[in-house]
Amino acid sequence: QVQLVESGGGLVQAGGSLRLSCAASGRTFSRYAMGWLRQAPGHERDFVAAITWSGRRTYYTDSVKGRFTISRDNAKNTVGLQMNSLKPDDTAVYYCAADSTDYSTSLQYTVDAYDYWGQGTQVTVSS
């Protein structure tokens, strides 16, 4: 199975930027679509962004479009999430996750579609 480790979380002021990284182990990483999901205080875990195995397509939830960018580097087994113009409502634990369907051409937008998860990294945005 794939092991995922997130990093890059922290405290940032509103309007600032932060970059999250996810390091994956295993030979199968490049076969999988990847996602970033988050869980805010008092809320269920929900979708933020996803990227296909090839990196050719991405998708974002409406609240982060134009502010967040998901990327991947299959040669390095990493996935990134660049977060700009951060808002207090972005405060959450952010999780990196993998869809284990090999070379899937579709992107998954729900929590239960992902099979492997990192431990999460806390992002706190102050006003």
Side-chain angles (χ1 to χ4, degrees):
Q1 64 178 331
V2 175
Q3 296 180 6
L4 305 171
V5 180
E6 302 96 334
S7 63
L11 176 65
V12 65
Q13 293 184 340
S17 297
L18 204 61
R19 181 175 177 83
L20 305 183
S21 295
C22 174
S25 64
R27 298 174 57 251
T28 56
F29 168 79
S30 62
R31 307 176 186 175
Y32 300 156
M34 300 293 298
W36 284 98
L37 302 96
R38 66 187 180 186
Q39 187 166 11
H43 293 77
E44 297 294 319
R45 191 175 301 182
D46 61 8
F47 170 80
V48 176
I51 187 167
T52 56
W53 68 271
S54 65
R56 290 180 60 193
R57 292 190 296 112
T58 60
Y59 193 80
Y60 303 88
T61 193
D62 285 345
S63 64
V64 308
K65 286 181 179 177
R67 300 189 298 120
F68 290 12
T69 303
I70 188 172
S71 61
R72 71 187 299 159
D73 186 338
N74 286 346
K76 297 180 179 179
N77 274 19
T78 59
V79 181
L81 184 68
Q82 179 66 45
M83 304 184 293
N84 298 326
S85 301
L86 283 161
K87 305 174 181 179
D89 285 349
D90 295 319
T91 295
V93 177
Y94 283 71
Y95 297 89
C96 175
D99 173 6
S100 64
T101 303
D102 290 354
Y103 304 112
S104 175
T105 57
S106 63
L107 294 174
Q108 302 298 322
Y109 314 135
T110 60
V111 170
D112 61 2
Y114 292 90
D115 304 295
Y116 303 112
W117 295 81
Q119 81 289 348
T121 186
Q122 176 71 48
V123 172
T124 302
V125 184
S126 62
S127 60

